[in-house]
Amino acid sequence: MLEGNGAASEAMRLARIGVVSAYPVTPQSPIAEVLSDYVSQGRLDAEYVRVESEHSAMSVAIGAQLTGVRTGTATSSVGLALMFEMLGVAAGLRLPIVMPVVNRALVSPWSLWCDHQDSMSVRDSGWMQFYAEDCQEVLDLILIAYKAAEHADVLLPTMVCMDGFFLSHMSQAVMVPDQEDVDAFLPFYEAKNLKLDPSDPMFINNLTPSTEFMEMRYQQFEGFNNASGIIKETMAEFKNRFGRGYQPVEAYRCEDAEAVIISLGSMSGTVKHIVDQYREKGKKVGSIRIVCFRPFPTEDLLRIVPENAHVGVLDRSMSLGAQAGPVCMEVRSALSERRPDVRVQPYVAGLGGRDLRPVAVTTAIDQMLEGTFNPAAQWLDVNENAMTIRRYTEVA
Amino acid sequence: MPITDSESGREKTVLGPCALIFSSAQTGTWRDVRPVVDQEQCILCGICEKHCPVDVIRTGDKKENGSLEIDFKYCKGCGICAEVCPQDSIEMIDEREVSGEKNYA
């Protein structure tokens, strides 16, 4: 039995990371703690660097990875926000660092609990992003992430996101593969690009003029283009070796569906459960789960979304000031030109640790089956007194 | 940027920002007017060389090197040289006439 955090730690141990630099932040702390235990017990042959912040955690990971060693770090919420600057450095230097991100709401209001605003706010930072549905997937996706990220045609850092508490602190039975099988899947790390070597010095991250900057961004863009296919190949190879298959997008009972819910991460379990209930009643309802959000699997989505479907996207964060949350905007952008038969309805649910209650999902599905459509985001399961929850009587 | 691998001697291409030699950003790419010297008229007095704020003008010995040299990697096209020239032998022309639209190429 492992919790999501435990599954992440196991995956990083199996990946034989040589340097750990992690700063504890709820609900990621157990990853930092368990990796520290592994190092002190001799179960992981790694240098454990106790850093003073997440900015330093990522800086150390970047420096270490530049010397040609596989590194491990993990973070969450405000920790990820504090890393922001260095996320771009890791991406621009094309360092395939893999980082579990335990999804937790961003301030303010302060929260320790799950939503996706942290990782969604860095969706354009040049990192690939995978979202796990259960603890087994946390382990598997981390191994897949290392392999795909380190491919010479990819070289992109990767976040493996898991929902805070819903996954990070949920015990589930997890198959932990043997070390020798993982070694065969994920060989010893070898730097394929920039490498810091005292005997052959070079500058990295030098001030780059406009004559070269766009070209380097374009290199990253190409890396993401290549990544789509390589992720699929890596997932197929993982299935051959370990028996568990994954896809960048997962379709569930989508055949002939009139209403389809698109979601990420642990929300999808609830959605699929409810889809089953509708199917038992003969209602044509399906679920699509986006496993790989960056690179966004546009082609797969175009293929999977059933004809004339009403698609509802459950966003666990809101792009404030926009019409919809980030996942919905992405889905709309993917479908808008090439699938005029489909309507995409934005929904927002489950912020700041609120459970995705079945009523939230059934409300959305019922609206879609009725044919109700509103281009602006519909907030599900929000208390009616939202605007007056803290009403005080002024004392004279 | 292709770099040569010290062990294998093979050239390889790296992605992203790295530099084997330190050099400052090529500020010449900021230029939209370029000084063009009439070498016949120039007397190599060196006044422009002394006034150049980025020190990119070289006036050689007339016997050895009969021309005034400007390093266009770093010349930003400020026009001070043209302004101070006692012979009026430096003309500022539109950079695009020399490099086309892509003066950064």
Side-chain angles (χ1 to χ4, degrees), chain A residues 14 65 101 113 272 293 336 356 366:
Chain A
L14 289 165
Q65 189 101 11
V101 172
W113 299 283
K272 283 186 267 189
F293 184 71
S336 62
L356 183 72
D366 290 344

Side-chain angles (χ1 to χ4, degrees), chain B residues 4-86:
Chain B
T4 308
D5 183 37
S6 50
E7 277 169 38
S8 63
R10 281 179 312 180
E11 270 205 345
K12 70 170 196 170
T13 302
V14 295
L15 300 172
C18 87
L20 297 176
I21 301 161
F22 181 78
S23 65
S24 50
Q26 294 191 7
T27 44
T29 61
W30 304 356
R31 185 179 60 243
D32 49 27
V33 281
R34 163 191 291 244
V36 175
V37 185
D38 183 337
Q39 300 287 1
E40 298 291 309
Q41 214 168 292
C42 170
I43 55 169
L44 292 177
C45 64
I47 292 176
C48 59
E49 182 182 8
K50 289 199 167 58
H51 280 80
C52 175
V54 284
D55 195 21
V56 296
I57 303 179
R58 290 287 174 269
T59 51
D61 184 336
K62 190 141 200 174
K63 281 174 202 157
E64 277 175 34
N65 180 4
S67 66
L68 182 135
E69 303 284 333
I70 299 175
D71 185 348
F72 287 107
K73 263 189 197 171
Y74 299 104
C75 167
K76 296 177 193 150
C78 68
I80 289 174
C81 52
E83 199 66 35
V84 298
C85 177

Side-chain angles (χ1 to χ4, degrees), chain A residues 353-391:
Chain A
R354 182 157 303 185
D355 288 336
L356 183 72
R357 294 200 295 154
V359 67
V361 184
T362 57
T363 302
I365 293 174
D366 290 344
Q367 279 180 5
M368 291 194 289
L369 289 175
E370 283 163 17
T372 316
F373 178 72
N374 191 324
Q378 301 298 296
W379 288 54
L380 298 167
D381 196 17
V382 177
N383 290 329
E384 281 174 14
N385 64 342
M387 301 309 289
T388 54
I389 50 168
R390 293 204 183 170
R391 170 162 282 179

Side-chain angles (χ1 to χ4, degrees), chain A residues 74-86:
Chain A
T75 193
S76 181
S77 184
V78 289
L80 186 66
L82 187 52
M83 267 183 195
F84 185 87
E85 178 189 8
M86 303 316 289

Side-chain angles (χ1 to χ4, degrees), chain A residues 187-378:
Chain A
F188 186 76
Y189 179 70
E190 214 179 312
K192 298 190 181 74
N193 193 38
L194 306 182
K195 190 180 172 190
L196 285 180
D197 179 356
S199 66
D200 187 13
M202 66 160 77
F203 287 86
I204 51 116
N205 215 13
N206 55 315
L207 180 64
T208 302
S210 55
T211 49
E212 292 182 318
F213 187 96
M214 268 185 85
E215 284 68 21
M216 290 183 191
R217 272 289 173 277
Y218 186 80
Q219 292 171 358
Q220 290 174 274
F221 173 76
E222 279 291 295
F224 274 95
N225 287 342
N226 297 338
S228 298
I230 287 159
I231 289 166
K232 279 189 193 172
E233 286 167 21
T234 311
M235 286 173 164
E237 192 187 333
F238 187 89
K239 187 177 186 219
N240 283 340
R241 196 173 287 278
F242 301 102
R244 291 180 296 278
Y246 296 99
Q247 288 291 328
V249 186
E250 173 202 87
Y252 182 76
R253 304 189 84 166
C254 275
E255 64 290 350
D256 75 9
E258 291 164 7
V260 173
I261 293 276
I262 296 185
S263 60
L264 305 179
S266 70
M267 288 194 291
S268 313
T270 309
V271 172
K272 283 186 267 189
H273 175 70
I274 291 166
V275 163
D276 286 344
Q277 293 176 343
Y278 275 87
R279 285 283 179 179
E280 273 167 34
K281 287 186 270 178
K283 302 268 175 70
K284 293 174 175 172
V285 176
S287 154
I288 290 176
R289 178 166 72 99
I290 294 170
V291 179
C292 175
F293 184 71
R294 285 286 183 268
F296 193 78
T298 302
E299 294 304 318
D300 298 294
L301 200 62
L302 283 164
R303 206 182 57 247
I304 285 170
V305 171
E307 236 172 279
N308 299 313
H310 199 146
V311 174
V313 182
L314 285 187
D315 259 291
R316 207 163 204 156
S317 66
M318 180 59 193
S319 181
L320 291 169
Q323 268 202 327
V327 183
C328 184
M329 288 197 283
E330 208 74 46
V331 170
R332 275 185 171 166
S333 145
L335 301 180
S336 62
E337 293 294 326
R338 290 157 73 187
R339 290 298 303 274
D341 58 307
V342 172
R343 276 195 302 191
V344 182
Q345 170 70 56
Y347 290 106
V348 172
L351 304 190
R354 182 157 303 185
D355 288 336
L356 183 72
R357 294 200 295 154
V359 67
V361 184
T362 57
T363 302
I365 293 174
D366 290 344
Q367 279 180 5
M368 291 194 289
L369 289 175
E370 283 163 17
T372 316
F373 178 72
N374 191 324
Q378 301 298 296

